[in-house]
Amino acid sequence: MKSFATFGNELYTGERSYEFIGMRKIWFSIAGVAVLLSILLPVLSGGFNFGIEFRGGSQFTISEVSHTDVATGQKAVEEAAPGTAAVVTNIASNTMQVQTDKLSDDQTLKVKDALKTAYGVTEDHITSTFVGPTWGQDVSRQAVIGFLVFVLLATVLMALYFRTWRMSIAAIVGLLVVMVVTAGIYGASGFEVTPSAIIGFLTILSYSLYDTVVVFDKIRENTTDIDKSVRRTFAEEVNLAVNQTLVRSINTMMVAVLPVGSILFIGALLLGAGTLRDLSLALFIGIIVSTFSTIFVAAPLYAWLREHEPELVKQAKKVAQRRANEMVDAG
Amino acid sequence: MARTGPTSTARRTLLWLAAIIIACTLAVGGGVLAGAASWAPKLGLDLEGGTQMILAPKVEGAGSITAEQLDQAVSIIRQRVDGSGVSEAQISTEGGKNVVVSMPGKPSDEERNLIKASANMNFRPVIAATQVPSGAVPEADRTPEDKLPVPTAAPVNASDPNWVDAAVMKEFEATSCIKPLTERPTTSDPDKPLVSCEPDLGIKYILGPVEIPGKWIKDASYGLQSGAQGATTNVWSVNLTLEKPEGAQAFKEVTQRLYAKYQVNQNDPQAQFAIVLDDSVVSAPRSQAVITDGQSSITGNFTEASAKALADQLKFGSLPISFEIQSEVQISATLGLQQLEMGILAGLIGLGLVVIYSLFQYRALGFVTILSLVIAGVLTYLAIILLGWAENYRLSLAGVAGIIVAIGQTADSFIVYFERVRDELRDGRGLVAAVENGWARAKRTILASKAVNILASLVLYFVSVGSVKGFAFTLGLTAVADLIVVFMFTHPTLQVLARTKFFGEGHHFSGLDPKQLGAIPLYRGAGRFRTPEETLQVATGKNTRAAGEAERRQTIAERRLAAKEKEMAGTGGRSAAAAKSESSDDSKESN
């Protein structure tokens, strides 16, 4: 694919350049709006749709059913455990899901038997789950602790590696944008928040920072001797670095999204709700948002955080001076 | 063929990788032959089918549970589950708060209650005991119906043999302490006698009613016993403190009665009191003194470990923990397998797409990616098998997802590397040099970014609960496998390939075709010459053209010198090149 390689070449040489840094006001505004919407939309649409793990209750999954009639399932539950409201859904081909309030052990067995008959399956095809209402909260509390510990350690790690805390700050802000926007999309679209989805979110943490570190490493390389250069200003060097790693960013996003996408596709199509689908959905959104966030938020933010440093201001003046001289030379 | 330099090092590294893989394969193969390992990964409950219960401990009264108490709770549950005959149950703590019990099949109501029940510790006096490890009395040798004991009077105290009636005697004879205890109840009436075993020794007992309930135990510790002169002896003892006044008072009465028997006959089983946990005898010390202050010291053939174990059990007895089932999942094996199949299918499709994409992007180099992914896969697989064997690691659905997700992140290391090599080629470097320089730079980036991945999986692993743990584990595992592959396979392979004609001459399909990458060679014949730096210059019109003109006028010797300088400055990065470019500007002026 000649054009893509050429595209990479032009980006590398600076012949073709996208204004990631120069137009940062626009990018920051877009990111700001996205964050705002991500907070507002789920609130407006009635908050997150929490899975049974958070609400508590009993759930039955019946696979390889003979038919997918919803009313049959509701009737079976009503007869086995009178007074229990059941939500029966056909979650995938040949798979039914029944969610009820918390049932006693005895009722669980009865409902299971009734469903077995109703959908013409054997014992092997019914999975029952009972979840206390605190289970999901436990998972999420631990996840929040994990998130905080990870962010703290990653900040320190990056500050040590890049020798500047500003890169850490920029990377973490980029990360937060990713988390909020991903959660927003998730919430706004009404997907169920399950512990698997939370795992997905936690993986985005890792992916998002990973992506940022790769781009920042190139930025660091390009700007190491910035004070000695009169060719480009700091912001321009950062922009060039982002452009030079753009092909990498796109390729990385692609190879990361392809397997996740295939889990999502297969998960949603053939399996219905479950670990695989919930996890891959969060990841799918998160990986794409992460790539954008590194380019449009983290890198410009880093340039903005640093370009006011006196040395860099002085260097920028030198660059302007040289350019003015060249214009004179050329003229 | 005498080869030196990077190629021979590369070959050696590749051989080492092969050696590692072969060694691991042989290890697994040996394990399989010995019957200890299996070629298939051990599957988690969600894939294999079974029941998983997550239990939250509840301490009676106020107070939260400590990690130590939780560990005790786990060992108690393990004893109960093992005792109830469920094999292969896994019991572990989670997040320093919950206990997770995973078992194949479905627990019966009794088993479920057993697991939930609070620990039941108490002291009962011994009425009768078999002195040697014993199984059930053979049917033929059992006491005939007419000779079964009939109580002659109402028992006067807990040690009274009148507690033993026909039913108790029959049960006693039928009980076997050698086989694992399966259907033995673990909650019994405290006011009735009990037939029990000391599982470690296989001794069988008839015990009297409970005299000291566990709640009276205030504390227990262990240590080396002090001798008469206060000097420490080599004898381990367990020290027991009972609540005052009830505990101490009751203990005084018990020890008075038992000590009297001990004085008459040191071997009288009735001089023993049994410490009973969940209706199994933990220990049955003899009463060698009357204890009036509730401070008792138990000695016996303790090792430090067994003394600690007993002290822990006694402490546990003083802390009645019961469990609340937080979540209980019964997974049908069919559903799990279906998910696993779909997961693997999704993984293969994902892998296929990545392969197509990388062939598209990197041409022949894509094959290096594919091979690298395959080797990373083999390493991950071997690691999972080995861990399954050594640590009983089980692959869960979340773990499978972790592996699939890792395909993308693994491929990314190669992208970072390949893009760096291409950058070097664009700078006009030869392929051999580009592979080396690109590696020097990519290596750092890969290490830094993988460090973030590994950090994330470590934090998730240690902080999180449930399925998050399995996921974090495989994610970390694949990150490590990726590092091994990129260092020991991808880089050396590229070093070797760089010397082949196909890649070295930049075949159109090699993915490293300098022309396609827009590389401007340092010397391209036909008198055209440009410095790599120029290509990076922001075009400023006439100036560039002038510089180009100046270079075109260079002599061959000048060009070669410049090329050499460039090669020397190779790793120096942009600043050195920039300096050189400045000087070419100068030369323009002197022309």
Side-chain angles (χ1 to χ4, degrees):
Chain A
M1 184 180 166
K2 178 129 185 159
S3 59
F4 205 74
T6 315
F7 177 63
N9 302 335
E10 290 172 357
L11 287 172
Y12 183 72
T13 58
E15 200 176 317
R16 181 196 289 262
S17 176
Y18 298 98
E19 283 294 331
F20 296 115
I21 310 299
M23 287 160 72
R24 67 173 166 236
K25 276 184 190 147
I26 297 175
W27 311 134
F28 286 169
S29 310
I30 294 174
V33 170
V35 166
L36 212 66
L37 281 177
S38 303
I39 296 169
L40 280 179
L41 278 181
V43 173
L44 291 178
S45 67
F48 288 96
N49 174 16
F50 286 105
I52 198 165
E53 292 84 356
F54 293 87
R55 291 179 277 119
S58 298
Q59 176 177 302
F60 302 83
T61 310
I62 311 128
S63 51
E64 292 175 38
V65 293
S66 55
H67 61 91
T68 56
D69 182 31
V70 169
T72 316
Q74 277 165 340
K75 216 177 98 196
V77 175
E78 177 60 35
E79 275 166 18
T84 311
V87 182
V88 182
T89 17
N90 178 13
I91 53 169
S93 57
N94 300 327
T95 308
M96 301 297 290
Q97 187 183 60
V98 178
Q99 293 191 333
T100 64
D101 298 337
K102 186 185 158 185
L103 299 173
S104 69
D105 293 346
D106 193 37
Q107 282 174 316
T108 305
L109 289 179
K110 276 189 192 154
V111 170
K112 214 167 153 176
D113 260 359
L115 288 172
K116 209 165 68 181
T117 326
Y119 288 105
V121 296
T122 59
E123 185 90 29
D124 287 351
H125 294 105
I126 297 194
T127 287
S128 71
T129 314
F130 155 73
V131 190
T134 56
W135 169 230
Q137 287 157 23
D138 275 4
V139 172
S140 14
R141 198 198 51 240
Q142 291 301 120
V144 169
I145 295 174
F147 169 75
L148 294 177
V149 173
F150 172 68
V151 166
L152 199 75
L153 289 177
T155 311
V156 174
L157 183 81
M158 283 191 291
L160 287 178
Y161 177 72
F162 290 121
R163 309 274 158 79
T164 161
W165 56 268
R166 287 181 177 84
M167 275 201 171
S168 290
I169 299 294
I172 299 300
V173 171
L175 174 69
L176 291 178
V177 170
V178 172
M179 301 307 284
V180 172
V181 172
T182 308
I185 295 176
Y186 217 89
S189 49
F191 289 119
E192 215 175 48
V193 178
T194 60
S196 303
I198 290 184
I199 302 179
F201 281 113
L202 292 174
T203 316
I204 299 169
L205 286 181
S206 153
Y207 182 86
S208 176
L209 277 195
Y210 172 89
D211 190 61
T212 310
V213 165
V214 173
V215 175
F216 275 17
D217 206 45
K218 181 68 179 166
I219 293 179
R220 179 173 87 141
E221 192 185 300
N222 281 18
T223 57
T224 309
D225 291 320
I226 187 78
D227 49 333
K228 294 191 196 96
S229 162
V230 287
R231 194 162 293 280
R232 271 179 287 268
T233 64
F234 181 75
E236 284 163 356
E237 275 300 354
V238 172
N239 200 50
L240 179 68
V242 176
N243 275 289
Q244 286 178 335
T245 45
L246 193 60
V247 169
R248 197 262 0 161
S249 297
I250 296 170
N251 281 348
T252 302
M253 185 180 84
M254 286 303 288
V255 294
V257 149
L258 286 174
V260 171
S262 69
I263 312 180
L264 183 60
F265 183 71
I266 288 202
L269 213 68
L270 302 171
L271 286 177
T275 307
L276 289 180
R277 195 201 68 176
D278 293 346
L279 198 119
S280 52
L281 184 65
L283 270 172
F284 192 82
I285 304 170
I287 288 173
I288 296 172
V289 176
S290 290
T291 308
F292 280 98
S293 168
T294 299
I295 296 174
F296 291 103
V297 178
L301 185 65
Y302 173 61
W304 183 66
L305 281 176
R306 281 206 59 189
E307 69 183 7
H308 301 295
E309 287 175 19
E311 274 167 44
L312 291 177
V313 172
K314 218 162 79 190
Q315 189 265 347
K317 276 189 194 138
K318 274 199 286 185
V319 173
Q321 182 63 42
R322 183 191 140 105
R323 286 201 185 138
N325 290 347
E326 277 172 0
M327 287 304 284
V328 173
D329 272 4
Chain B
M1 266 200 356
R3 279 180 185 271
T4 50
T7 323
S8 66
T9 320
R11 276 162 205 269
R12 252 203 315 278
T13 314
L14 286 172
L15 281 176
W16 269 113
L17 179 67
I20 290 174
I21 293 176
I22 291 170
C24 289
T25 314
L26 286 179
V28 177
V32 172
L33 282 181
S38 152
W39 287 112
K42 284 191 186 168
L43 298 181
L45 209 73
D46 54 347
L47 295 175
E48 207 182 35
T51 306
Q52 184 180 57
M53 281 188 250
I54 292 160
L55 305 159
K58 277 200 310 195
V59 183
E60 266 173 37
S64 61
I65 193 160
T66 65
E68 194 195 9
Q69 288 164 338
L70 193 64
D71 284 344
Q72 286 171 21
V74 168
S75 73
I76 298 285
I77 293 185
R78 184 167 289 131
Q79 283 173 12
R80 287 178 187 167
V81 174
D82 287 350
S84 70
V86 177
S87 56
E88 280 187 49
Q90 288 179 290
I91 299 135
S92 54
T93 58
E94 185 177 85
K97 184 171 174 288
N98 291 334
V99 178
V100 182
V101 181
S102 307
M103 58 176 83
K106 270 160 273 174
S108 62
D109 283 353
E110 292 79 39
E111 283 170 333
R112 198 179 285 119
N113 288 335
L114 179 68
I115 291 167
K116 274 159 66 176
S118 64
N120 171 21
M121 169 167 277
N122 42 53
F123 291 2
R124 290 170 182 259
V126 175
I127 297 174
T130 55
Q131 292 302 321
V132 286
S134 65
V137 178
E139 292 280 354
D141 298 345
R142 286 186 192 172
T143 318
E145 286 288 336
D146 55 331
K147 298 232 175 91
L148 282 170
V150 178
T152 50
V156 290
N157 59 41
S159 298
D160 195 326
N162 275 325
W163 285 108
V164 182
D165 57 14
V168 173
M169 194 63 198
K170 267 193 195 165
E171 194 193 338
F172 181 66
E173 290 186 338
T175 302
S176 165
C177 291
I178 292 168
K179 280 184 261 172
L181 309 169
T182 47
E183 280 155 19
R184 215 165 34 77
T186 56
T187 44
S188 56
D189 191 335
D191 298 328
K192 294 233 170 86
L194 173 75
V195 174
S196 181
C197 288
E198 189 171 351
D200 290 348
L201 301 176
I203 297 176
K204 196 155 60 166
Y205 297 93
I206 298 177
L207 305 174
V210 173
E211 286 198 298
I212 298 172
K215 65 179 181 196
W216 282 350
I217 303 167
K218 194 174 162 196
D219 195 17
S221 62
Y222 70 102
L224 287 167
Q225 202 184 25
S226 299
Q229 274 81 40
T232 310
T233 62
N234 278 327
V235 179
W236 287 99
S237 69
V238 175
N239 308 307
L240 181 67
T241 311
L242 293 166
E243 288 288 359
K244 285 174 190 169
E246 319 100 297
Q249 180 58 34
F251 203 53
K252 185 179 150 193
E253 283 162 20
V254 176
T255 49
Q256 267 171 351
R257 190 177 74 236
L258 301 191
Y259 182 58
K261 292 180 194 278
Y262 179 77
Q263 281 177 313
V264 176
N265 173 12
Q266 293 199 355
N267 291 324
D268 188 350
Q270 291 192 14
Q272 287 175 286
F273 65 92
I275 301 167
V276 185
L277 178 66
D278 281 350
D279 289 3
S280 273
V281 177
V282 171
S283 177
R286 277 163 212 288
S287 195
Q288 296 175 344
V290 177
I291 312 288
T292 53
D293 59 355
Q295 296 276 355
S296 156
S297 165
I298 303 167
T299 53
N301 289 321
F302 286 127
T303 60
E304 184 179 357
S306 62
K308 179 182 187 307
L310 180 57
D312 284 347
Q313 281 170 322
L314 287 169
K315 258 194 280 187
F316 183 82
S318 68
L319 182 90
I321 301 176
S322 63
F323 296 93
E324 189 182 19
I325 297 185
Q326 260 203 337
S327 121
E328 180 177 340
V329 187
Q330 266 154 34
I331 304 131
S332 83
T334 327
L335 189 69
L337 278 179
Q338 196 194 0
Q339 297 249 347
L340 181 64
E341 279 167 16
M342 292 300 165
I344 290 172
L345 180 65
L348 289 176
I349 292 177
L351 192 64
L353 290 173
V354 168
V355 164
I356 293 170
Y357 189 81
S358 55
L359 284 179
F360 192 57
Q361 279 288 321
Y362 296 105
R363 312 273 163 117
L365 214 50
F367 288 109
V368 178
T369 310
I370 299 166
L371 262 179
S372 305
L373 280 173
V374 167
I375 292 173
V378 168
L379 283 176
T380 310
Y381 170 78
L382 285 173
I384 287 172
I385 302 271
L386 283 173
L387 282 167
W389 181 17
E391 299 287 325
N392 203 24
Y393 171 74
R394 282 162 185 272
L395 194 60
S396 65
L397 196 57
V400 172
I403 292 174
I404 300 172
V405 168
I407 296 174
Q409 298 204 342
T410 301
D412 181 59
S413 322
F414 314 141
I415 292 177
V416 169
Y417 181 28
F418 294 165
E419 287 300 330
R420 284 302 185 134
V421 173
R422 283 182 162 188
D423 286 355
E424 296 293 322
L425 288 173
R426 284 172 181 138
D427 278 349
R429 217 149 270 144
L431 183 60
V432 174
V435 162
E436 290 312 316
N437 287 333
W439 175 244
R441 292 172 169 199
K443 185 166 69 180
R444 275 193 5 213
T445 310
I446 292 171
L447 281 175
S449 51
K450 283 291 153 186
V452 171
N453 276 353
I454 292 173
L455 179 72
S457 45
L458 281 178
V459 170
L460 288 187
Y461 185 77
F462 286 109
V463 174
S464 60
V465 293
S467 43
V468 183
K469 240 188 173 73
F471 180 78
F473 189 84
T474 45
L475 214 56
L477 194 68
T478 49
V480 174
D482 176 26
L483 277 181
I484 294 176
V485 168
V486 81
F487 271 78
M488 296 187 76
F489 180 77
T490 316
H491 173 228
T493 303
L494 235 59
Q495 283 179 314
V496 172
L497 288 180
R499 316 237 163 198
T500 61
K501 211 172 152 214
F502 181 78
F503 284 95
E505 288 180 1
H507 190 278
H508 184 62
F509 289 109
S510 68
L512 293 171
D513 175 9
K515 277 203 289 291
Q516 208 181 341
L517 294 172
I520 291 88
L522 299 166
Y523 176 60
R524 269 210 303 195
R528 286 200 293 148
F529 187 94
R530 276 156 79 188
T531 64
E533 193 47 35
E534 255 187 13
T535 63
L536 281 165
Q537 212 167 334
V538 178
T540 49
K542 207 173 173 183
N543 183 43
T544 315
R545 286 199 297 278
E549 181 66 14
E551 278 150 6
R552 249 170 263 137
R553 288 184 200 148
Q554 281 179 316
T555 63
I556 291 173
E558 276 174 313
R559 277 178 215 132
R560 288 207 174 132
L561 183 69
K564 228 177 202 165
E565 273 172 12
K566 175 68 190 110
E567 202 62 26
M568 302 275 278
T571 45
R574 192 144 297 116
S575 61
K580 193 187 149 289
S581 173
E582 300 278 342
S583 73
S584 83
D585 285 354
D586 293 342
S587 71
K588 172 202 72 182
E589 277 156 24
S590 66
N591 272 343

